[in-house]
Amino acid sequence: MPSPKPKPKTIQVSFRDVVNRRAFLRIPPEAKIRLAHKAGAPWSEVNTAAQLSPEQQDVVKRPERTVVLHGGTGLGKSMMAGLEAAIAAMVPYQRVAFMGDVYDHVGKEFRYTYLFFAHLFKGHKAAFVRFVYRHQQNYHDYEVSTIWGSHVGGLSLDHAQGNKALGEFIHWLVLCEGSQISIRTLNTRILRAADRALHRRPNCTSDVRETGYIRAYTTPDQMEGAAAELVDTAKARTKMELERLHYGRVPFAETFYFLEAESTMNPQFSVNAMEARRQTMDKHTFGEVYQGKASPASGLIYKFERASHVVPFPAARKGAEMRLGVGFDTGAVFACSLVGLDKQKRLWSLAEVYEKKVGIETCCTKVREMLRAVELH
């Protein structure tokens, strides 16, 4: 008979171990929601009895390291970002930061972290070393420092103080209006601050702790900015199958979750107001503002009709300018387009090549064949 399985080893951890940084806490999803409601979330000025909707709760519970939410206006993105940051700071010795292009973006989301602690501790300042929220035209000061060693700050990326903070490690990072933060700033400064929190600690049996979180809840601005870059990178890695990066399916450092959500995720938002805007706005703008659907600034795809869209190029080509555009997608896809500009400054699409999973020599051969076909070699 097979020998019985050994009993798992029991390790006792005390709160003193957490305080002395020999262990760390993870707040369970349901406990997050109980904390949120105890602190009065979502702090609605219209309905003081309002609570988080089931959809909002699902976002707050997400365990992935990086979560991007493209949401419509009025959905409660700033509230959820501020709430999650505050809950993260309930764990001892956490460094939480709100980062935005300008202080106006930062203050809007930090305000909800301030409200969380103000309601939860009912004004008892003994829980804080420093507790301040000053959001004025020419003066901004956002800080919550607790007696259990956690710190929450709000910083602007266009100030030296914000740049200095990015040189340090951050356990929980909120990108305020992430669609307005540049891709270069994301890749060269922001991600490294979160990555530093993942460093392995002495005497730790696992490779990394589950920390270095990134949250970007924003209304999309076409397909620009740091939030869209995070999504595009994840889509490229998974060939559009983002569920492959959900918690438990890859190492924690790689976990990612993305959601597009309408304004009506917030039950307080007026459906009639949204439908009225649907009648007056073009569908791409409406999709971004109310449905969280990013649309490209150019290159929109329309239904192709040969009879309408294909006409002969003018016979008199002399003096016409020609341009050859080539695009690669990490070696998986090759595309090339030949465009002519006539004397009336009209653009003509003359020919194109599109190939998947072929070598560079094959791509060059296809381009030469295309040029021969239009007698331009």
Side-chain angles (χ1 to χ4, degrees):
M1 295 181 62
S3 59
K5 294 182 178 179
K7 294 182 179 180
K9 184 178 180 181
T10 301
I11 300 176
Q12 293 185 346
V13 177
S14 67
F15 191 74
R16 183 182 296 276
D17 292 321
V18 176
V19 172
N20 292 329
R21 310 190 194 192
R22 292 192 296 266
F24 69 97
L25 293 175
R26 183 188 300 116
I27 299 178
E30 294 303 327
K32 291 182 179 181
I33 303 306
R34 289 197 294 270
L35 268 174
H37 288 157
K38 187 175 181 62
W43 307 288
S44 171
E45 296 178 357
V46 177
N47 179 9
T48 55
Q51 291 194 330
L52 299 174
S53 70
E55 294 82 6
Q56 289 172 330
Q57 292 184 30
D58 288 341
V59 173
V60 173
K61 292 178 182 178
R62 292 309 308 188
E64 285 80 11
R65 183 194 178 201
T66 302
V67 177
V68 177
L69 169 63
H70 278 173
T73 183
L75 177 139
K77 301 181 297 295
S78 296
M79 178 274 297
M80 288 187 289
L83 169 62
E84 288 190 73
I87 293 173
M90 291 295 290
V91 176
Y93 298 109
Q94 296 300 291
R95 185 174 177 82
V96 180
F98 289 81
M99 293 285 181
D101 242 13
V102 294
Y103 274 119
D104 280 346
H105 295 165
V106 175
K108 183 176 64 172
E109 301 195 13
F110 185 93
R111 171 176 173 267
Y112 291 99
T113 293
Y114 184 85
L115 288 174
F116 174 94
F117 285 109
H119 284 76
L120 189 65
F121 290 93
K122 304 185 185 307
H124 295 300
K125 294 186 177 180
F128 309 103
V129 178
R130 192 164 190 265
F131 186 59
V132 61
Y133 172 72
R134 293 176 182 168
H135 184 62
Q136 300 169 359
Q137 184 173 1
N138 296 315
Y139 183 74
H140 307 88
D141 190 4
Y142 319 116
E143 184 178 351
V144 175
S145 293
T146 69
I147 59 174
W148 54 89
S150 288
H151 176 272
V152 188
L155 301 165
S156 171
L157 293 167
D158 65 354
H159 283 69
Q161 190 179 12
N163 294 329
K164 180 181 178 182
L166 289 176
E168 305 173 10
F169 67 86
I170 297 174
H171 297 107
W172 193 283
L173 179 59
V174 178
L175 304 185
C176 307
E177 292 295 346
S179 60
Q180 305 300 317
I181 297 173
S182 74
I183 294 173
R184 175 172 175 76
T185 298
L186 171 74
N187 290 328
T188 62
R189 294 155 60 192
I190 292 176
L191 293 182
R192 69 180 185 181
D195 287 345
R196 286 180 178 179
L198 288 170
H199 288 178
R200 184 170 177 174
R201 298 298 190 268
N203 303 320
C204 184
T205 57
S206 61
D207 288 339
V208 295
R209 294 168 57 183
E210 293 190 1
T211 186
Y213 293 88
I214 299 173
R215 294 294 183 264
Y217 301 163
T218 184
T219 298
D221 182 9
Q222 297 175 348
M223 298 182 75
E224 302 295 327
E229 175 69 5
L230 289 169
V231 177
D232 290 344
T233 301
K235 286 181 176 179
R237 287 183 55 206
T238 62
K239 298 184 188 288
M240 306 296 289
E241 298 177 5
L242 293 179
E243 63 275 6
R244 289 165 50 190
L245 298 178
H246 287 180
Y247 186 85
R249 303 189 66 176
V250 293
F252 172 75
E254 302 174 29
T255 54
F256 180 89
Y257 181 77
F258 172 60
L259 177 66
E260 289 179 339
E262 291 190 355
S263 301
T264 50
M265 176 189 280
N266 179 0
Q268 310 301 315
F269 193 85
S270 171
V271 176
N272 291 334
M274 187 175 81
E275 292 304 317
R277 291 301 182 196
R278 191 193 298 271
Q279 306 303 318
T280 60
M281 300 173 74
D282 70 86
K283 65 178 183 179
H284 299 296
T285 303
F286 178 83
E288 287 190 349
V289 176
Y290 290 97
Q291 296 177 313
K293 295 181 178 179
S295 61
S298 60
L300 297 177
I301 299 173
Y302 298 90
K303 183 178 179 181
F304 177 74
E305 297 178 353
R306 181 169 291 275
S308 302
H309 297 143
V310 178
V311 295
F313 186 65
R317 295 176 180 172
K318 186 176 181 180
E321 297 181 21
M322 300 294 171
R323 295 290 185 270
L324 192 67
V326 179
F328 294 89
D329 182 8
T330 64
V333 176
F334 172 83
C336 178
S337 179
L338 181 66
V339 178
L341 181 67
D342 65 20
K343 293 182 179 180
Q344 284 74 43
K345 302 300 181 183
R346 293 175 298 186
L347 285 172
W348 296 78
S349 179
L350 304 180
E352 65 180 11
V353 173
Y354 180 81
E355 297 289 339
K356 290 184 177 181
K357 297 181 179 179
V358 296
I360 189 64
E361 292 184 2
T362 302
C363 296
C364 293
T365 300
K366 293 290 185 179
V367 172
R368 286 194 293 267
E369 292 174 354
M370 175 187 71
L371 297 178
R372 291 192 188 100
V374 293
E375 298 179 350
L376 291 174
H377 60 287

